[in-house]
Structures are given as structure tokens and as C-alpha cells.
């Protein structure tokens, strides 16, 4: 084999490795959760405000999928739960803004007295898989909630009570 062919094969192999690195780097689900690490205070504040809101309007031990926020990617104004105060709305808008408007829903539910708060990003799958940032004190409840849905998912623990869910 001539020296020129070896050089071309070397260049082609290098380009393939670089391309594979870029693809893997862009597909890394952990990177999706950087928003949580960078804006954890906002997520915690929304969790607290949502807890107060739900306790004030519904004291049942089981509450199914109450939408606190829903944009669904529509051009219409974002819609909030009628009881969401201006402070809660502002914090959710901040999360939506720092996510590049990938935040589509904030959903709350309670089962057996345990809160489950879901921040749903990239619902339309415009930039890869849909992913959720979820708060629940019980990991087993998070797993049960997603096993009840007809989806495949990957769970990543982000912090105490906080989880990342990537819908496949």
C-alpha cells in the first residue's frame, strides 16, 4: 500500500472518529439535565409554589395530572392553572426561557399522599427525545408512574428527590 493511500485512510478514520464523537456528545441525555443543575433554585421554587397551590385547592390524597403550565409549542399565550399566582408564573416562564422554550408542560399529581411534579421538555421531539425533570420523594413512585404509561424510558437520579426521565 502506498504512502498516499495510508494518509487518506488515516484522514478518513480521523473524520469518522470526530463525527462519532459529535453524534455521541449531542445525544448524551445527561447534557439535557444541565438546565436542572444550572437552575436548580428555580426548579425548587416552582416545586414549593406548586405544593402551596395544590394544598390550597385540593386536599385529597390522590390527584391525577393537574396542569400547572401548558404551552404545547403553540404560538398562543402560555396557559397557567387558574390558581397560579404571578410569582409561580414568573418562575415557570424563567425556566421556559432558559430552556430555549423547550418547556412544554408542568404537571402535578399526588398518589397515596406523595407529590409528583413533572417538567416536560421537547414534547414535539424537535431536538431529540422528550425528556422530563421530575420531583418526587419516592423513586419507586416515579418508576410506577412511568411504567403505567406505554413508553420506554431511561431514569437518571439528579439530586435528592429529583430525577431525569428520557422518553425513548
Amino acid at each position: 500500500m502506498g504512502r498516499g493511500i495510508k494518509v487518506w485512510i488515516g484522514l478518513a478514520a480521523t473524520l469518522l472518529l470526530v463525527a462519532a464523537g459529535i453524534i455521541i456528545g449531542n445525544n448524551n441525555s445527561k447534557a439535557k439535565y444541565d438546565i436542572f443543575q444550572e437552575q436548580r433554585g428555580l426548579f425548587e421554587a416552582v416545586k414549593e409554589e406548586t405544593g402551596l397551590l395544590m394544598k390550597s385547592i385540593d386536599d385529597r390524597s390522590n390527584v391525577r395530572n393537574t396542569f400547572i403550565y401548558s404551552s404545547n409549542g403553540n404560538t398562543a399565550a402560555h396557559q397557567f392553572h387558574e390558581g397560579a399566582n404571578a410569582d409561580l408564573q414568573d418562575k415557570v416562564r424563567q425556566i421556559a426561557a432558559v430552556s430555549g422554550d423547550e418547556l412544554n408542560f408542568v404537571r402535578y399529581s399526588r398518589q397515596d399522599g406523595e407529590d409528583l411534579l413533572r417538567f416536560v421538555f421537547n414534547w414535539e421531539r424537535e431536538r431529540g427525545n422528550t425528556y422530563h425533570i421530575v420531583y418526587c420523594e419516592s423513586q419507586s413512585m416515579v418508576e410506577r408512574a412511568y411504567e403505567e404509561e406505554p413508553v420506554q424510558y431511561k431514569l437518571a437520579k439528579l439530586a435528592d428527590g429529583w430525577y431525569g426521565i428520557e422518553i425513548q
Side-chain angles (χ1 to χ4, degrees):
M1 208 182 296
R3 183 176 168 190
I5 293 175
K6 288 181 182 178
V7 169
W8 281 108
I9 291 173
L11 284 172
T14 302
L15 285 174
L16 285 173
L17 288 173
V18 169
I22 290 171
I23 291 168
I24 290 169
N26 285 339
N27 227 0
N28 184 354
S29 61
K30 281 284 195 196
K32 294 176 180 179
Y33 308 125
D34 285 350
I35 186 175
F36 174 77
Q37 301 303 333
E38 295 165 0
Q39 303 295 327
R40 184 172 177 180
L42 273 175
F43 283 90
E44 292 281 355
V46 169
K47 175 188 73 131
E48 295 301 321
E49 291 279 339
T50 299
L52 293 172
L53 168 65
M54 294 309 296
K55 281 180 183 29
S56 72
I57 62 173
D58 199 333
D59 62 355
R60 292 177 291 165
S61 65
N62 291 321
V63 176
R64 300 297 283 182
N65 289 328
T66 300
F67 282 86
I68 304 303
Y69 167 82
S70 174
S71 76
N72 201 19
N74 295 329
T75 56
H78 300 303
Q79 297 185 6
F80 289 90
H81 185 279
E82 63 188 28
N85 64 29
D87 201 31
L88 175 57
Q89 290 182 29
D90 182 54
K91 287 175 175 73
V92 171
R93 281 188 188 105
Q94 288 178 52
I95 292 172
V98 298
S99 74
D101 284 328
E102 283 193 8
L103 178 65
N104 298 112
F105 306 108
V106 177
R107 296 185 338 197
Y108 171 88
S109 59
R110 187 180 324 124
Q111 187 171 340
D112 299 327
E114 293 203 51
D115 298 330
L116 179 69
L117 183 63
R118 304 179 202 201
F119 297 82
V120 178
F121 295 86
N122 195 27
W123 181 257
E124 301 289 329
R125 295 180 180 244
E126 293 173 354
R127 296 178 192 97
N129 290 335
T130 297
Y131 62 100
H132 303 186
I133 294 175
V134 178
Y135 175 79
C136 184
E137 290 182 7
S138 167
Q139 181 173 338
S140 65
M141 183 176 162
V142 172
E143 292 168 349
R144 272 194 326 264
Y146 283 90
E147 287 168 0
E148 289 174 1
E149 296 184 18
V151 296
Q152 296 288 322
Y153 69 93
K154 282 195 258 182
L155 182 139
K157 186 167 180 149
L158 303 177
D160 286 342
W162 289 96
Y163 302 91
I165 305 286
E166 182 179 10
I167 305 298
Q168 309 261 306

